[in-house]
Amino acid sequence: MNPTDWQKSTYSDGGDGNDCVELASTPTTLHLRESDAPGTALVTAPAPLAQFLHAIRTGTPGIVASVTAHPGGAC
């Protein structure tokens, strides 16, 4: 299911113009995209995104490497 109701970040009204993050949701997924590239979206479930944001806030070592690593391949 694709979302139809995208919400812009409140920071998008600043001097950066259209450079902001937009969020939309369906009953089971969250969709994130950049305003200047709306054709590409990151799709995830609420729990993994909450865990990722928590790890960033708490400074969990290696969080970027663990999120970007692809099993069996290079980053």
Side-chain angles (χ1 to χ4, degrees):
M1 176 187 298
N2 289 326
T4 57
D5 187 24
W6 290 90
Q7 297 177 341
K8 281 190 178 185
S9 165
T10 57
Y11 292 101
S12 66
D13 292 334
D16 292 336
N18 205 29
D19 296 334
C20 65
V21 174
E22 296 178 339
L23 172 72
S25 64
T26 66
T28 58
T29 59
L30 297 173
H31 302 254
L32 298 135
R33 69 182 185 185
E34 289 189 42
S35 295
D36 60 349
T40 303
L42 170 69
V43 181
T44 187
L49 182 59
Q51 292 170 352
F52 177 65
L53 294 174
H54 175 74
I56 291 171
R57 289 184 190 117
T58 60
T60 301
I63 188 63
V64 174
S66 67
V67 171
T68 59
H70 300 281
C75 291

